[in-house]
Amino acid sequence: MNSYIKQWLEIIENMNNDNTYKLAWGRAIIELCFETNQLDKQVTFTFQHIAKKMIKYYWNQTYFFHLDQSPNKKKIPILVQNVNLLIDLYESVQRTHVPVWFDKAETILKHEKQYRKIINDSAKTLKNDVSWRFKLANKKEYDLYYLDKNCMFISFTKQQVLSLKEYSFVLSQLINFKWAQLLEKFNHSPRIASKVKDISDNTIKRSSLTKYKNILLKSNNYQAIDFYTGKVLQENDISVDHVIPWPFMYSDDIWNLVLTSKSNNSSKSNIIPSQDVIESLKERNARLVKLINDSKYKDELLLAIENDYVDKFYLAMKI
């Protein structure tokens, strides 16, 4: 491992952050270097290039999982404020509240004047703050890149880019780990490490819940009863729903799944359930665990009941 990469490792290891700007900045640089085919004597990235990458990370983590990027909810980082503006803009243009990847949304947003303004405003934020702070650690400044704050760009030598390409996986994994550690301090959401990694890599996929339908039917003697309304569901109107919303749980657990109508499922969005709904879910789980024979799901339900998963995750979600 060369001395340049060792400097990067020291910077990442010694980060003392009150928000995630440095982590997002570092990951954006690594990703840009990995993607570039420009291997001239000097390789340059503008603050606009970097800002767009950082907004992508914050967009995906915010839109899918509602993760806070700083401990002070009254003082939201400017880039996250800008992401919220972009999400509002996208939903207004597309007339939808369904989360999408930033890469997909950008194909719509890039035609909007407000989008270009937000990218430029974000770039100016990087100029004033993280661009120069990132290189500081252990009371010294590391020579990671050439910084031109006035013209708002950073540049690398060809050898530096080649080194970052070679060690991109290791550095990205370390940044993701540090990012997850920081988010765990002011988010009560489970599986944060997976959320940070998968959402940054655009690898998240939601599985079909159809396989749970027959198991859940057992809780009402194979009658399709809407968990929320108590009404009988038609065969073509049965949907499997997460009581505690999927963006918080990031998993499909039988103790958190119920049957409802398709319209109710689509309109429910990511709202926090009421205490009455939570009590009904616990009662449903107590019935279901006595009726199913599948050892995998039975053990999962027993574990959830014995460890009060419903109450614990519900409480964590409300904090």
Side-chain angles (χ1 to χ4, degrees), residues 228-265:
Y228 300 104
T229 67
K231 295 180 180 178
V232 177
L233 296 169
Q234 300 299 314
E235 179 61 30
N236 62 355
D237 190 32
I238 299 175
S239 182
V240 178
D241 178 51
H242 299 81
V243 176
I244 297 175
W246 182 87
F248 178 81
M249 293 295 299
Y250 192 27
S251 65
D252 304 323
D253 302 299
I254 190 68
W255 58 266
N256 188 43
L257 298 175
V258 298
L259 299 180
T260 189
S261 67
K262 291 179 180 178
S263 61
N264 188 49
N265 194 5

Side-chain angles (χ1 to χ4, degrees), residues 56-210:
K56 167 187 169 181
Y57 307 145
Y58 290 140
W59 170 288
N60 292 339
Q61 290 186 18
T62 299
Y63 212 175
F64 281 90
F65 294 129
H66 315 292
L67 293 174
D68 292 326
Q69 300 294 331
S70 68
N72 190 345
K73 294 188 178 182
K74 294 182 179 179
K75 190 177 180 181
I76 301 173
I78 293 174
L79 261 66
V80 179
Q81 293 181 41
N82 288 347
V83 164
N84 289 329
L85 291 174
L86 286 176
I87 290 174
D88 290 343
L89 176 61
Y90 173 79
E91 291 186 344
S92 174
V93 171
Q94 293 297 98
R95 297 182 179 179
T96 180
H97 297 290
V98 178
V100 296
W101 294 113
F102 176 73
D103 291 343
K104 182 177 180 181
E106 193 195 13
T107 62
I108 306 296
L109 292 171
K110 66 183 181 182
H111 301 294
E112 301 292 328
K113 183 178 180 180
Q114 187 181 350
Y115 169 72
R116 295 188 292 274
K117 181 181 183 302
I118 287 174
I119 294 296
N120 289 332
D121 288 348
S122 299
K124 291 175 184 176
T125 298
L126 302 181
K127 169 187 174 179
N128 296 332
D129 191 1
V130 69
S131 62
W132 58 275
R133 289 183 186 276
F134 184 83
K135 301 199 295 179
L136 304 176
N138 298 325
K139 297 183 179 180
K140 65 178 180 178
E141 181 175 346
Y142 289 76
D143 188 23
L144 301 182
Y145 45 77
Y146 171 75
L147 170 64
D148 189 323
K149 287 180 64 179
N150 291 328
C151 296
M152 296 174 62
F153 72 82
I154 59 174
S155 63
F156 301 82
T157 67
K158 178 180 178 180
Q159 188 53 53
Q160 286 174 334
V161 172
L162 290 173
S163 294
L164 288 173
K165 279 179 174 286
E166 181 180 358
Y167 289 95
S168 62
F169 178 78
V170 173
L171 294 174
S172 294
Q173 292 299 305
L174 180 57
I175 285 175
N176 286 342
F177 173 70
K178 297 285 285 188
W179 200 330
Q181 275 191 319
L182 184 59
L183 291 185
E184 284 172 351
K185 293 180 180 179
F186 39 82
N187 287 275
H188 296 275
S189 181
R191 302 177 179 89
I192 286 180
S194 295
K195 291 174 180 178
V196 169
K197 177 184 182 300
D198 292 349
I199 220 69
S200 297
D201 294 342
N202 282 16
T203 56
I204 184 172
K205 292 181 179 178
R206 295 187 63 165
S207 302
S208 170
L209 301 179
T210 305

Side-chain angles (χ1 to χ4, degrees), residues 283-300:
E283 293 171 7
R284 192 292 308 268
N285 286 340
R287 292 197 310 273
L288 185 58
V289 75
K290 297 175 182 178
L291 298 172
I292 61 175
N293 298 316
D294 187 298
S295 59
K296 177 190 174 197
Y297 295 120
K298 195 176 190 72
D299 290 345
E300 185 180 322

